[in-house]
Amino acid sequence: MGGNTNNVWLADDVDVDVHDFSHAAHRLLSETSDLPTDPTQVAVRPAELLPSWDEDWLMLAREQLRQLWMHALEASARRLLDAGMIPQAIDQLLVVVAEEPLRESAQALLIEAYLREGNMCEARRQLASFARQLWTVLRVRPSRDLCERVGGELNVERLR
């Protein structure tokens, strides 16, 4: 070992949950992977990386895992939508929206899912809720493209 006491080594047969999660997420992000056989497994948020540690470098590593999880859920939901599995896609997207309500990519995909199932009311309700949150927190409106998907511009001030 050369006397370096700053390194920790794990035996090859030790499973590391972060590695397992990362591999599963990357499989979901791969366009060639199959649809998840159990989409509920994907929806489970990864455990916080080294929760009792308070190191600066961990903030970035934790955020990278959180972003990877949300990207994997969105990619999986998109493929579920494309396969006509709309309820399963909606379930996954609701998890992302609950984690990050201002994430427009997830909101847009959720609205698309409602539209694909022919549920304009749910699509408009979701857009209105998103618009209220965006306006309250950031004083911005949803993108014009997103508003046009459900029939035009929203008057955010009227939604309060």
Side-chain angles (χ1 to χ4, degrees), residues 116-158:
R116 283 195 191 184
E117 72 177 352
N119 200 336
M120 177 61 81
C121 180
E122 283 297 320
R124 289 190 67 88
R125 184 195 57 76
Q126 188 67 37
L127 177 60
S129 172
F130 176 52
R132 272 192 303 277
Q133 291 176 57
L134 264 182
W135 187 255
T136 300
V137 175
L138 301 173
R139 290 291 190 244
V140 298
R141 292 175 173 82
S143 69
R144 180 175 307 278
D145 178 57
L146 184 56
C147 292
E148 287 174 353
R149 289 182 193 182
V150 294
E153 195 68 35
L154 284 178
N155 183 346
V156 177
E157 291 82 5
R158 212 178 62 206

Side-chain angles (χ1 to χ4, degrees), residues 81-92:
L81 265 181
D82 291 344
M85 300 173 71
I86 296 171
Q88 295 89 336
I90 289 172
D91 286 346
Q92 286 190 16

Side-chain angles (χ1 to χ4, degrees), residues 43 70-81 85-101 103-114 126:
M70 288 190 291
H71 283 288
L73 281 173
E74 283 185 30
S76 175
R78 161 88 45 211
R79 292 187 16 250
L80 287 166
L81 265 181
M85 300 173 71
I86 296 171
Q88 295 89 336
I90 289 172
D91 286 346
Q92 286 190 16
L93 291 165
L94 288 171
V95 171
V96 179
V97 167
E99 172 73 17
E100 188 55 64
R103 189 178 178 93
E104 187 160 334
S105 57
Q107 293 280 357
L109 200 51
L110 180 56
I111 288 166
E112 180 182 332
Y114 288 138
Q126 188 67 37

